[in-house]
Amino acid sequence: MHNLIIILLAPLLLLQGRYVRQNTPRLPEAAGDRGGSLGEGRPLRVLLVGDSAAAGVGVDTQSQALSGCLTRELARDYRVHWQLIAKSGNTTADLIRTLEELEPGEFDVVLISLGVNDVLSPLRVSRWIEQQGGLIKLLRRQFSVRHILLTHVPPMEQFPALPQPLRWCLGQRAKAFNTRLTELSRADKNCELVNIEQTLDRRDMAVDGFHPGSKIYRVWGESAADLIARRLG
């Protein structure tokens, strides 16, 4: 039913989408190092990949962003060697092309942040899941990753930057993406899904009303670190 509604609303949605692109503030990616080592204990190689959220848009520095929150939490028990590969605007296809150009390496775990830009595109959810599967295979082949953390597409129906009915329509599309992403993660014993939707509050988002703020990054990083620690434990 919601697909029919979206079709009927298409002219209005296109106008609202253009308005949002023109009027939403463009925030920079978080400043700071995109790799390093910290902590003491057993070595743990961590790769973070994805889009603007992975790149820390919404906060000033990487220490406040997902990379800093995740690695600090893991460094309580491990010697963490980490690297961040992320860019604002990245779709799943964009990230795959970037990774294919890199030299092979080895990581124990990868945290993926993707989906919002794919939801904003005309891409079918079935094609997106195919791309997610291809990304997982690429990470294993090129980086010998053993533990893969996928992240739920955030609840876009809560994004303050989006007017109605565009907000509702994108929220419905994000939910459809998440349904298939959940199925993908459950079918692979070495994949897990990070879902912090129940803890999100739109008041904790960045000033653009579209990206995470520092509190959301902290909860996201701690949740991912907990899943990693449980798997390693």
Side-chain angles (χ1 to χ4, degrees), residues 95-166:
L95 179 62
I96 288 173
R97 285 191 289 269
T98 297
L99 295 178
E100 287 175 336
E101 296 175 356
L102 300 179
E103 293 294 325
E106 291 189 10
F107 292 92
D108 300 302
V109 61
V110 60
L111 174 58
I112 302 171
S113 167
L114 286 170
V116 168
N117 295 309
D118 294 288
V119 168
L120 293 172
S121 78
L123 190 70
R124 291 180 178 272
V125 63
S126 58
R127 179 58 182 148
W128 184 65
I129 288 299
E130 290 177 3
Q131 292 177 348
Q132 289 284 306
L135 174 60
I136 290 169
K137 291 179 181 177
L138 173 62
L139 289 167
R140 287 173 174 153
R141 181 176 67 249
Q142 191 158 336
F143 300 108
S144 303
V145 175
R146 293 175 289 183
H147 185 201
I148 296 175
L149 294 180
L150 306 162
T151 302
H152 249 213
V153 182
M156 298 181 71
E157 71 276 8
Q158 297 182 29
F159 282 17
L162 301 175
Q164 295 289 13
L166 179 63

Side-chain angles (χ1 to χ4, degrees), residues 5-76:
I5 296 174
I6 291 173
I7 292 172
L8 294 174
L9 291 173
L12 174 59
L13 299 178
L14 288 172
L15 289 173
Q16 288 188 326
R18 189 175 299 124
Y19 173 84
V20 170
R21 285 192 295 272
Q22 293 174 349
N23 291 276
T24 301
R26 294 185 179 275
L27 302 180
E29 297 178 358
D33 294 335
R34 295 200 169 201
S37 301
L38 70 163
E40 301 292 338
R42 189 166 122 207
L44 180 63
R45 300 163 299 182
V46 178
L47 176 64
L48 298 94
V49 298
D51 51 18
S52 56
V57 171
V59 292
D60 295 329
T61 67
Q62 290 295 334
S63 65
Q64 301 168 290
L66 179 61
S67 63
C69 296
L70 173 66
T71 56
R72 261 196 317 275
E73 195 67 20
L74 291 172
R76 298 175 185 270

